[in-house]
Amino acid sequence: MDVLDLARLQFGVTTVYHFLFVPVTIGLSLLVAILQTLWRTTRKNSYLRATKFWGKLFLINIAMGVVTGIVQEFQFGMNWSAYSRFVGDVFGAPLAFEALVAFFLESTFIGVWIFGWDRLKPSIHLACIWLVAFGTIASAYFILAANAFMQNPVGYQLNETAGRAELTDFGAVLTNPVALAAFPHTVFAAWLTAGTIVVAVSGYHFMHRRDLEVHRPAMRLGILTTIVGGLGLVFSGDSLGKVMTATQPMKMAAAEALYQTTYNAPFSVLTIGTLDGSHGTPIIEIPGLLSFLATGSFNGEVQGINDLNAQYQAQFGPGEYAPYIPLTYWSFRAMIGFGMLAVAMAVIVWWFTRRGRLPQHRLFWPIAMWMAVTPFLANSAGWIFTEMGRQPWVVFSLYETSQAVSPRVGTATVAVSFIGFTLVYLVLAVVALKLFLKFAKAGPPSEEDAIASSRPADPDKPMAFAY
């Protein structure tokens, strides 16, 4: 493997690893805020205990998300300095807003929320967690706006002398059609992820018949969130597919391994064929569905890989402009399939637990708990498809990935850093998983402890973090 391959592999590993925590942070912040709001409006201590319980698991996750996210910034200067020089003027603007506005909002008010339980007025304390939830969503938007420039560059001019893209319209960057379509899709995916986790953890306590008065309403909220997230993914995914076809038609063709331009293009749920995808044999095929996903019409035209490749060769010069087809084909289906599986399991759990029922089959809850893995697989597959489907471009139609790698970084340097980061991430994964499972199994605090740590503010008592 050369420097480019190793740099891409390292960035892929660290990005997918970081993205394991991002949807959980976005989704759980909202659910914790909802649970605390339910406690404030109903005065039921079961909601207070649920807020404390899920708040602790949320904090474990957000800490890991921050640590792993910092590494992403470092890599732009380590392995991708040529890319940083080319796109830094544009890419840096939304990232700066993410750090100065969204991340600052999150980090400030999460601290106030942690230490303010018995120091702040209840309404102010509740507002803190809602501000954290808003901050996580705002952070996602700025990151997606930066990424959208790589998918569909807008709001820039190319400085041929300096060899870089320069920002001319920040509003155009923030309102990039790809960002506007990807944002709701990402948020719904986060809700699906968080909802599935709540169902799985609550299911563990259902299996052991512990604290059902706390976990039953939490499970209901998790089921509702999962179903809403799943339905939202269907509609937002439809919108995103049409934007993707308009801006990156090769990616849509690669999602189906469609080599020839086709009207009434079918969508193959499953196929077998050669590794390069050029001679697939569909096993299950839905007529016209790919055309509908791409154009909104079952008879619409979907351009094929061969025609697009010839078009790009005429426009950009000789080369191969198609991504690795087996990866795009199967990651697209994994994204859809695992997401649908999570929703299906949430519906099944709802059906068998309705009206206070408790499933008796010994395999029911273990299966429900293992379903927590499915949204992570769907999220990872979706992210891989989004980034790999753009290849060979790092900025579509402007800058190829082979041009973006640092020119003075050797193979040995990248290999050592890749191995080092991977080992550290493995250790962090073990620590994070053990911590999460430990506190998830421990369950919520007792009613007495929850109430004692959440008494109204005492105006004569100094705040714990004031000096």
Side-chain angles (χ1 to χ4, degrees), residues 115-127:
F115 295 107
W117 274 100
D118 59 345
R119 311 288 182 175
L120 298 174
K121 291 181 179 180
S123 58
I124 296 176
H125 187 258
L126 176 61

Side-chain angles (χ1 to χ4, degrees), residues 35 68 144 179 189 331 372 376 418-419 437 449 466:
L35 288 170
T68 56
L144 289 170
S331 60
F376 293 99
F418 171 57
I419 294 170
L437 292 178
D449 290 341

